[in-house]
Amino acid sequence: MENKEESRVALLGIIVEDTKEISRLNDLLHEYGQYIIGRMGVPYREKGLNIISVAMDAPQDVISSLSGKIGMLSGISSKVIYSKKG
């Protein structure tokens, strides 16, 4: 069956300010793993933050869904930017 919605390339930026929800964050990333091209985490110890970049190739609603679920986690923020090429 063909997917009706076209795939988009996007970068999901995540900032973790409180690590109490990190296990749930990792569960979500694993759940959406089939759409993840790669990810990079950078601890910023001086500020007590973790910065995570997740490159994705997925339908826009899938990317938005993941970002929204991550944004609902306490102490974690997320934002998406999309490629103009799709």
Side-chain angles (χ1 to χ4, degrees):
M1 185 163 87
E2 191 174 310
N3 188 351
K4 292 180 184 177
E5 190 172 356
E6 202 163 309
S7 182
R8 300 279 313 264
V9 174
L11 180 65
L12 174 58
I14 303 167
I15 296 183
V16 180
E17 298 179 77
D18 185 351
T19 58
K20 71 180 178 194
E21 294 269 29
I22 202 79
S23 177
R24 182 66 186 126
L25 172 61
N26 284 327
D27 289 346
L28 284 169
L29 293 174
H30 179 75
E31 182 182 330
Y32 286 79
Q34 70 187 49
Y35 302 106
I36 294 175
I37 300 166
R39 66 189 255 195
M40 177 183 66
V42 180
Y44 190 4
R45 290 178 185 89
E46 293 82 5
K47 298 280 185 175
L49 301 172
N50 291 293
I51 303 160
I52 303 168
S53 299
V54 180
M56 299 182 70
D57 187 351
Q60 188 168 343
D61 64 333
V62 170
I63 296 167
S64 296
S65 174
L66 175 58
S67 181
K69 288 177 182 179
I70 290 171
M72 287 190 280
L73 299 174
S74 177
I76 301 178
S77 304
S78 67
K79 199 70 148 174
V80 178
I81 56 172
Y82 292 95
S83 166
K84 291 182 181 186
K85 286 189 170 186

